[in-house]
Amino acid sequence: MKKYVCGVCGYVYDPAEGDKEGGIPPGTPFEDLPDDWTCPVCGASKDEFSPE
């Protein structure tokens, strides 16, 4: 599974880790994140992310 990086702050979403604070379990691919999911660091939307 690909990692995705936030173009605003540089946060890397790693599917193997998920987003514990956002309620996203480990193993969740970026493509399966809810449309309203935002960067846990800066609040940027999914469309600000690109594959690493």
Side-chain angles (χ1 to χ4, degrees), residues 1-2 6-7 9 11 18 25-27 29 31-37 39 44 51-52:
M1 286 185 279
K2 286 187 202 173
C6 178
C9 73
Y11 167 81
E31 296 80 7
D32 291 349
L33 293 174
D35 290 337
D36 62 351
W37 180 83
C39 177
E52 187 175 55

Side-chain angles (χ1 to χ4, degrees), residues 1-28:
M1 286 185 279
K2 286 187 202 173
K3 296 180 182 179
Y4 282 73
V5 62
C6 178
V8 176
C9 73
Y11 167 81
V12 175
Y13 175 76
D14 183 350
E17 296 178 11
D19 174 16
K20 184 188 288 187
E21 292 180 13
I24 306 298
T28 303

